[in-house]
Amino acid sequence: MADSEQLGRTDDHPPTIVLDDVSRDYGATTAVDGVSFAVRDGEFFTLVGPSGCGKTTTLRLVGGFEQPTAGRVQLSGEEMVGVPPEERDIGIVFQNYALFPHMNVRENIAYGLNFTDPPDGQTKAERVDELLSLVDLDGMGERDPDQLSGGQQQRVALARALAPGPSVLLLDEPMSALDAELRERLRVELKDIQQTLGVTTLYVTHDQEEALAISDRVAVMRDGRIEQIGTPREIYHQPATRFVAEFIGDNNVFAGEIEEMDSKTLSVQLAGDAPTVVDIERPAEDRLSTELQTGEEILFCVRPESLVVGHEKNALNASVESTEFLGETTRVQLDWNGKPLLVHGDETVGERTSVGFDPKNAHIIERE
Ligand code: ATP
């Protein structure tokens, strides 16, 4: 049984989607392994992780396209065991958002109303008009799908999924077939539409930047399990595990031993041949699950943007391995005593450089 915070039971009303210790095996493969989370009413919740980590299977379990091997799925407080997808109050957009090629845009959207009446006593035609306007395709209802751009087709697929006014919207990599610029534009539109409707949304992506940009909360998955659930800022600034620290954005992870500490600062002897001690800010007592001890081995991370060339505090002398110009910044790959470090700098860095960081920009990672 997952703890109540994970299941969102601190809210006044029950969460709209609840997974409680859900697993799904395929023969010897465990695709989803004891996953628990709760998505609140109106929340935009994203599953992110590398290929094969179990995101799609988790979404399919919520949609009823798969049945759990163990555990429970609830939608709006109701047990979903044995309930087929068409009897669940969901709309779904898949990766290949396959529109029906022989139907025009209106007919494609109206298809979403074949099994359910439109909400609020609307006629089918009124509902389709409303959705065309919502996804910004007014006047395009008579077009065939092949007369639309990829982004427009994707919006039709979204309108079709939203047509019956579902309580839950499931989106599985809906933008992966689109180019980067269009994806960025569409994710802003998608978020707008989601907020306008207040529809509870479960979104699957392998793109961590997209996950941070679009979500109220994110669950980072790895090998069928959830590593961490949090707001984009929590996930980015307070990664709970080394995997999250390294998967979400670039990061520098250091291992070391606590040499000394006072109420504000930890002095950490970094692992490696060269004896180097750095100071990092002591986290607030309630941030860690156990009390820190002198002599304890810890892991902490410092983001590349916080590892500053020429910073005199916690200075590390490193050699420059490569630079990569990215427009807004240049990524500089360094070697510090055999350990790779990534910093943001400019191309003027020489063959050797010193980088340092403010103690408050180091974050202790609790679990390997
Ligand atoms: P991707 O980003 O590549 O789509 P994912 O995180 O969505 O990956 P899943 O598709 O959920 O991952 O797959 C999780 C694991 O379960 C993988 O190892 C996959 O090969 C396996 N798997 C998924 N569906 C089946 C199936 N129907 N039969 C057997 N194995 C499956």
Side-chain angles (χ1 to χ4, degrees), residues 55-301:
K55 309 178 291 290
T56 294
T57 306
T58 304
L59 182 117
R60 290 174 63 81
L61 286 161
V62 175
F65 304 96
E66 301 285 344
Q67 291 299 321
T69 317
R72 300 181 313 144
V73 175
Q74 285 182 344
L75 292 180
S76 303
E78 284 183 34
E79 290 296 334
M80 285 292 124
V81 176
V83 178
E86 61 276 14
E87 286 172 29
R88 299 187 182 200
D89 189 9
I90 54 167
I92 184 157
V93 181
F94 290 110
Q95 187 165 355
N96 52 347
Y97 36 84
L99 301 176
F100 303 110
H102 56 287
M103 293 185 190
N104 68 22
V105 167
R106 293 193 73 85
E107 289 161 345
N108 262 286
I109 297 175
Y111 182 85
L113 297 166
N114 273 358
F115 312 102
T116 336
D117 288 332
D120 306 326
Q122 286 174 309
T123 64
K124 263 193 187 187
E126 285 167 349
R127 181 65 179 159
V128 172
D129 282 338
E130 185 181 46
L131 287 159
L132 280 170
S133 169
L134 182 75
V135 298
D136 208 15
L137 290 175
D138 293 288
M140 297 202 196
E142 311 310 321
R143 289 204 194 173
D144 288 335
D146 63 5
Q147 296 172 306
L148 299 177
S149 70
Q152 290 167 334
Q153 290 184 28
Q154 198 264 1
R155 284 188 263 159
V156 176
L158 179 63
R160 182 174 64 186
L162 290 170
S167 311
V168 170
L169 180 62
L170 305 177
L171 301 163
D172 189 0
E173 304 254 12
M175 313 208 215
S176 59
L178 307 172
D179 67 57
E181 199 185 324
L182 188 55
R183 271 208 314 268
E184 277 182 32
R185 196 140 42 85
L186 274 174
R187 77 184 181 212
V188 175
E189 289 175 20
L190 174 63
K191 179 79 184 181
D192 268 1
I193 291 171
Q194 189 267 341
Q195 281 181 331
T196 306
L197 299 178
V199 60
T200 308
T201 299
L202 183 63
Y203 190 85
V204 162
T205 182
H206 64 274
D207 180 339
Q208 43 88 21
E209 186 189 302
E210 191 167 280
L212 294 183
I214 207 168
S215 316
D216 295 318
R217 281 190 306 152
V218 176
V220 183
M221 290 188 75
R222 176 197 192 189
D223 295 341
R225 295 173 160 273
I226 289 182
E227 290 267 311
Q228 185 173 5
I229 297 177
T231 63
R233 282 186 167 72
E234 284 164 353
I235 297 279
Y236 188 83
H237 290 299
Q238 295 162 21
T241 68
R242 182 177 195 141
F243 175 79
V244 175
E246 292 180 329
F247 181 73
I248 302 289
D250 291 325
N251 223 333
N252 298 290
V253 177
F254 295 89
E257 185 185 312
I258 300 176
E259 214 180 54
E260 269 178 49
M261 58 184 171
D262 60 29
S263 60
K264 288 208 183 91
T265 309
L266 309 175
S267 295
V268 180
Q269 161 92 58
L270 296 181
D273 301 337
T276 307
V277 175
V278 293
D279 286 341
I280 69 175
E281 192 172 270
R282 186 170 180 164
E285 280 301 319
D286 55 356
R287 258 264 306 117
L288 299 181
S289 53
T290 54
E291 232 173 273
L292 294 166
Q293 309 284 343
T294 308
E296 187 179 338
E297 306 273 347
I298 60 163
L299 285 180
F300 67 91
C301 58

